[in-house]
């Protein structure tokens, strides 16, 4: 095994330097990548396609406000519905994947995202924004949320789970990196409607890749999961909704669940709810051009990829609780400084903030998922779905309340300071999670195949 491939070499003939009569010539060396990595690559592209919509809300608050005279609170409410449903549908999506398979659920989710984005082109009332953006896109993106990453990782990997979780989590940042500058340019030059159509097309383009290349289980192609032993594919799990609720009720009787859910709610509030939704309009309040502010968010996406993958590598090696405490503490400190950094032009201190915040953006996901596995074993994907629901509820509250605060106070300063204080609370909560014993650490130091 060499650097991520399997090397197969024919054994030597009986006599060195001479070929036995009738012996076949040795076959050339063959290299093969474990199928799990192909599945992970397809999942990565899928999450990028689904994440395209997440690039839009922060860019469209001002255009929608100007065109329809909707308040920022109304627009923030639609975004909050999207974020809440994104989280609340995730645990049910994980159970539905056990019942109907990953491919069917993800194809349906991508179709829902495309339908909502396209329908929004013809909307004329705020309630339509809440249906198209909130309901359709929220349910669709929720089915491709981090619980999708957890399901793929749990089924296809035993070794390198932390690393793969980091890579798949970084896919959302990659989507932001690809689509934010593009959508900002489209909104600036052609209006918000072509940008919405672009997002719909991005979701539809991914559908053939999912259907043709994604597989539900290693046993479908006669393989063991990477780093594990072969196991038959389990029968479809019936009663997906009942199982999802049962897992929630069981987990809710344990202290670690509430600590994980509470800290992850603050994570969502300080990322998707705050920075992703309100950074661009806040920067615009300080006379920074929208394209410049969107480009800064795209830079967050670049460093988010680095930070999340590195966090996955660290999670395979260090105590996940302490990693979370460090991540939240550093995030809170950076938010306290942000109001002083917003200016009409991009200065070096702002660049430093963006790089720093990008490294920390969703670095919390690999250790949070690792703690779910440690505490809840086979039900960890569904438990993580509920923890993710709390993440999105926190994001939804801040997406809405941030807009209300801006309408009331005339600035976002109070929101930045409150989020910084909440991150300090999340750091303390992470340290209070006790150690579980349901999962032994996966072996590290392997190549890409086993």
């Amino acid at each position: 095994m060499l650097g991520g491939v399997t090397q197969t070499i024919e054994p030597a003939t009986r006599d060195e330097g001479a070929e036995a009569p009738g012996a076949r010539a040795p076959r050339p060396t063959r290299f093969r990548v474990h199928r799990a990595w192909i599945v992970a690559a397809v999942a990565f592209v899928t999450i990028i396609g689904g994440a395209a919509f997440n690039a839009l809300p922060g860019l469209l608050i001002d255009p929608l406000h100007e065109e329809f005279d909707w308040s920022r609170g109304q627009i923030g409410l639609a975004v909050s519905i999207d974020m809440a449903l994104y989280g609340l549908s995730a645990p049910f999506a994980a159970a539905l994947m056990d019942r109907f398979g990953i491919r069917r659920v993800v194809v349906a989710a991508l179709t829902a995202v495309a339908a909502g984005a396209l329908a929004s082109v013809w909307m004329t009332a705020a309630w339509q924004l809440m249906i198209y953006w909130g309901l359709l896109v929220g349910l669709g993106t929720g089915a491709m949320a981090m619980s999708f990453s957890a399901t793929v990782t749990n089924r296809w990997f035993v070794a390198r789970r932390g690393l793969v979780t980091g890579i798949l989590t970084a896919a959302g940042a990659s989507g932001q990196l690809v689509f934010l500058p593009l959508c900002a340019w489209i909104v600036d030059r052609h209006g918000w409607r072509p940008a919405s159509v672009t997002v719909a097309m991005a979701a539809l383009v991914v559908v053939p890749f999912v259907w043709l290349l994604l597989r539900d289980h290693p046993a479908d192609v006669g393989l063991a999961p990477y780093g594990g032993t072969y196991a038959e594919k389990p029968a479809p799990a019936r009663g997906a909704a009942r199982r999802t609720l049962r897992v929630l009720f069981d987990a809710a009787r344990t202290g670690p669940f509430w600590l994980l859910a509470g800290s992850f709610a603050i994570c969502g509030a300080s990322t998707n709810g705050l920075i992703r939704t309100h950074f661009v309009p806040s920067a615009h309040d300080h006379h920074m051009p929208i394209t410049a502010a969107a480009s800064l968010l795209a830079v967050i996406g670049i460093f988010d990829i680095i930070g999340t993958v590195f966090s996955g590598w660290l999670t395979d090696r260090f105590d996940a609780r302490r990693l979370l405490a460090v991540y939240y503490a550093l995030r809170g400190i950076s938010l306290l400084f942000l109001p002083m950094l917003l200016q009409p032009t991009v200065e070096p201190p702002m660049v430093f903030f963006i790089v720093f915040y990008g490294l920390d953006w969703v670095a919390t996901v690999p250790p949070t998922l690792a703690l779910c596995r440690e505490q809840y074993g086979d039900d960890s994907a569904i438990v993580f779905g509920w923890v993710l629901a709390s993440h999105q509820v926190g994001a939804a509250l801040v997406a809405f309340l941030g807009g209300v605060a801006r309408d009331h106070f005339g600035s976002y300063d109070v929101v930045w300071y409150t989020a910084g204080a909440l991150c300090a609370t999340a750091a303390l909560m992470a340290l209070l999670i006790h150690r579980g014993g349901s999962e032994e650490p996966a072996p590290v130091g392997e190549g890409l195949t086993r």
Side-chain angles (χ1 to χ4, degrees), residues 379-403:
D379 289 329
S380 62
I382 297 177
V383 173
F384 182 71
W386 285 113
V387 171
L388 176 63
S390 72
H391 180 282
Q392 293 307 114
V393 169
L397 286 173
V398 171
F400 171 61
L401 294 176

Side-chain angles (χ1 to χ4, degrees), residues 245-290:
L245 294 173
R246 176 185 58 77
V247 170
L248 171 63
F249 293 146
D250 291 344
R253 290 198 291 266
T254 66
F257 174 80
W258 293 105
L259 292 170
L260 287 166
S263 59
F264 218 43
I266 294 171
C267 177
S270 57
T271 52
N272 292 355
L274 186 58
I275 296 292
R276 179 171 285 165
T277 305
H278 294 294
F279 177 80
V280 172
S282 179
H284 192 54
D285 284 347
H286 290 78
H287 310 293
M288 183 183 292
I290 289 178

